[in-house]
Amino acid sequence: MPDVLVAGGGPTGLLTAFELERAGLEVLVLERDARPTTQSKALGLQPRSVEVLADRGLLAAIEPHVQARLPAGHFSGIPIDYTDLPTRFPYQLGVEQAYVAAAIEARLRTPVLRDAAVTAVAQDDEGVTVTAGGHDHRAGWLVAADGGRSTVRTLLGAAFPGTSARISLVVADLTLARKPAGLADDWQLPSSRSGFLLPLSGGRYRVVVVGAEQQRLDRDAPVTAAELQRALTAAHGPEIEVGEVRWASRFGDAARQLEHYRHGRVLFAGDAAHIHLPVGGQGLNLGLQDAVNLGWKLAAQVRGHAPDGLLDSYHDERHPVAARVLLSTRAQAALGLPDPDATAVREIVTGLLATPDARRDVALELSGIGISYPDTTGRATDVPVAPDGRAVLVGASPPTGWADRVETRAGTDPQLVRPDGYLAWAGGAGLDTALRRWFA
Ligand SMILES: Cc1cc2nc3c(=O)[nH]c(=O)nc-3n(C[C@H](O)[C@H](O)[C@H](O)COP(=O)(O)OP(=O)(O)OC[C@H]3O[C@@H](n4cnc5c(N)ncnc54)[C@H](O)[C@@H]3O)c2cc1C
């Protein structure tokens, strides 16, 4: 019997499984789809996610698929310079989400059971029974990473308050039968409020459209080549011609977040815990950070050495981060509305974001580099995580009895680094307290 079941083999579920497995747990991922998806919702990794993947040795397999290093993020299309961020990676990596997921899955020992949609969940004092693909699976814990329409969330009746969609957008990956002269063939930050067109690999283009027609159409109406052609003609002139539409979908700006990330023995992560308009490139990155925050805490809980409250600190630390992203993306959605008042506010905000302090605050937030948690002193910038999921103590010796939880390394800059890369102690008094606070 595995220690933990993970519902959903998207990037969040896979990285959670990776973290749990790294800490020595037996894990089983239950995935609805029969085959790994080749469709990529997200096209970018923020700097903090790049750090996390690099520290785990996962970046090398992603690198060959990177199409751009963008030295900026954007706030509703307003460029936000990243070049002075305190990180080894002061840029967004332009890479399709499918390659990120594939790179994590390739490194997993954990089996990913496909064609295994979760349809029932029951929990008791000892564990969780999950029905997936018609079979029952039993484990001590369940991580629900089954995406924005989470079945687990519905089955548990978990409160998911927030706002419903007000605007409707279309995303499509297509080829072009005819390209207008001057169409940029490199990655650029989206700057238009009515959508964008971006070259992907293999001759495909990513199109995002948010026009008047999309607002009139039903959310369930199929996206047609004709609809995409009209939008592209309006944006790029009559020379552009849609070739083959490979994938198309409608999405909106609903913004919702679970009230509680933990429901007994079930923990929610990624889009299953929070949804919002994918503006500013935040969702995938939130999910990856959820995974690394949850992984070591759940592993400590399973192995019986979690201090009181450690597992609940997953909600306490991660809920406010996603709440802030929801606030930010709602503001960005409002700034993008095609109405004169929104245009006026946008002009003011654009001016404010040109000031160094405001720009830097927003850059720290969008990039994830500024994430900090109470009782930590930020993130460690140059201490690779321990391969076996232990904490890392640099430049100091722990009292005896911690070797199973703490790897000791030589160094002149004393620090105690949690397995998710955040600093539990940074020299001076208090090492003992920090060890007990996080790893008792
Ligand atoms: C158009 C669009 C563009 C985006 N662009 C960006 C971007 O540029 N940057 C960014 O950071 N984010 C972006 N996002 C958001 C990002 O794609 C998501 O936040 C990310 O996919 C979340 O990963 P996840 O693993 O939590 O969920 P998902 O990727 O949705 O994965 C969930 C997995 O669970 C599986 N599943 C579903 N139901 C079940 C079930 N009942 N049982 C078992 N398995 C199940 C699914 O098949 C899937 O594999 C974008 C989103 C959209 C829609």
Side-chain angles (χ1 to χ4, degrees):
M1 172 173 122
D3 299 304
V4 179
L5 296 168
V6 175
T12 304
L14 293 170
L15 191 60
T16 306
F18 183 87
E19 291 296 279
L20 294 167
E21 162 184 311
R22 195 159 79 78
L25 266 52
E26 295 294 323
V27 186
L28 175 63
V29 177
L30 304 166
E31 165 57 43
R32 177 194 60 195
D33 292 350
R35 276 176 299 281
T37 181
T38 52
Q39 294 157 357
S40 291
K41 291 180 283 185
L43 298 180
L45 287 171
Q46 295 288 353
R48 179 62 190 142
S49 294
V50 182
E51 287 184 346
V52 162
L53 295 166
D55 282 351
R56 285 155 182 75
L58 294 165
L59 192 58
I62 295 169
E63 289 277 2
H65 306 287
V66 167
Q67 285 187 261
R69 285 177 171 71
L70 299 170
H74 72 95
F75 188 85
S76 192
I78 304 164
I80 305 291
D81 182 43
Y82 278 180
T83 49
D84 65 350
L85 283 174
T87 168
R88 290 168 287 156
F89 308 102
Y91 44 76
Q92 284 191 80
L93 277 191
V95 61
E96 296 174 41
Q97 172 175 330
Y99 293 118
V100 177
I104 304 169
E105 188 169 347
R107 284 278 302 282
L108 280 182
R109 279 181 291 104
T110 293
V112 178
L113 197 60
R114 296 194 167 275
D115 242 336
V118 171
T119 50
V121 175
Q123 54 175 322
D124 53 52
D125 289 347
E126 267 85 54
V128 186
T129 303
V130 176
T131 310
H135 299 281
D136 284 352
H137 302 272
R138 178 88 181 156
W141 300 85
L142 169 66
V143 175
D146 54 341
R149 296 190 177 157
S150 170
T151 303
V152 179
R153 198 177 63 216
T154 306
L155 289 168
L156 265 57
F160 197 46
T163 51
S164 301
R166 280 194 307 168
I167 52 174
S168 181
L169 302 88
V170 161
V171 57
D173 288 352
L174 46 77
T175 60
L176 291 177
R178 200 150 50 102
K179 274 193 331 186
L183 185 70
D185 251 336
D186 56 348
W187 277 45
Q188 292 169 353
L189 289 173
S191 55
S192 158
R193 290 158 70 189
S194 58
F196 62 85
L197 177 70
L198 204 65
L200 303 177
S201 56
R204 294 165 304 139
Y205 286 78
R206 164 63 51 92
V207 178
V208 170
V209 183
V210 50
E213 180 174 358
Q214 285 67 48
Q215 311 319 310
R216 282 195 305 273
L217 290 169
D218 194 88
R219 264 302 288 278
D220 296 325
V223 180
T224 62
E227 178 186 351
L228 292 165
Q229 181 66 60
R230 279 190 291 277
L232 288 178
T233 305
H236 300 278
E239 271 90 65
I240 197 162
E241 196 182 317
V242 171
E244 189 189 340
V245 180
R246 303 264 174 90
W247 170 58
S249 172
R250 292 184 199 281
F251 65 102
D253 64 337
R256 297 183 177 277
Q257 185 179 19
L258 278 176
E259 278 177 349
H260 303 287
Y261 282 13
R262 177 176 175 189
H263 287 245
R265 291 179 165 271
V266 182
L267 293 124
F268 288 86
D271 280 14
H274 36 70
I275 57 165
H276 56 83
L277 183 70
V279 61
Q282 299 292 291
L284 169 59
N285 299 281
L286 264 183
L288 296 179
Q289 312 305 320
D290 285 351
V292 298
N293 189 289
L294 174 59
W296 68 279
K297 294 174 179 174
L298 183 52
Q301 178 77 30
V302 171
R303 300 177 81 183
H305 57 66
D308 281 351
L310 182 71
L311 189 56
D312 289 326
S313 76
Y314 164 62
H315 169 94
D316 299 340
E317 291 189 341
R318 293 301 303 165
H319 190 279
V321 176
R324 181 73 192 174
V325 167
L326 261 65
L327 189 81
S328 166
T329 51
R330 287 168 70 183
Q332 293 185 61
L335 281 185
L337 290 174
D339 103 18
D341 292 348
T343 304
V345 180
R346 188 181 181 84
E347 199 173 316
I348 303 284
V349 171
T350 304
L352 289 172
L353 288 177
T355 62
D357 285 354
R359 195 271 313 154
R360 190 173 162 84
D361 280 358
V362 174
L364 285 167
E365 192 166 296
L366 290 173
S367 63
I369 293 299
I371 296 170
S372 66
Y373 302 125
D375 298 338
T376 71
T377 52
R379 75 202 202 294
T381 47
D382 54 3
V383 181
V385 295
D388 54 7
R390 284 184 295 167
V392 177
L393 178 62
V394 182
S397 309
T400 47
W402 290 95
D404 60 331
R405 279 155 281 169
V406 180
E407 180 191 310
T408 309
R409 290 188 200 157
T412 50
D413 186 13
Q415 45 194 320
L416 174 62
V417 186
R418 304 192 323 188
D420 61 352
Y422 287 86
L423 286 166
W425 169 80
L431 173 59
D432 222 47
T433 312
L435 284 166
R436 283 176 208 296
R437 162 78 178 82
W438 297 108
F439 313 112

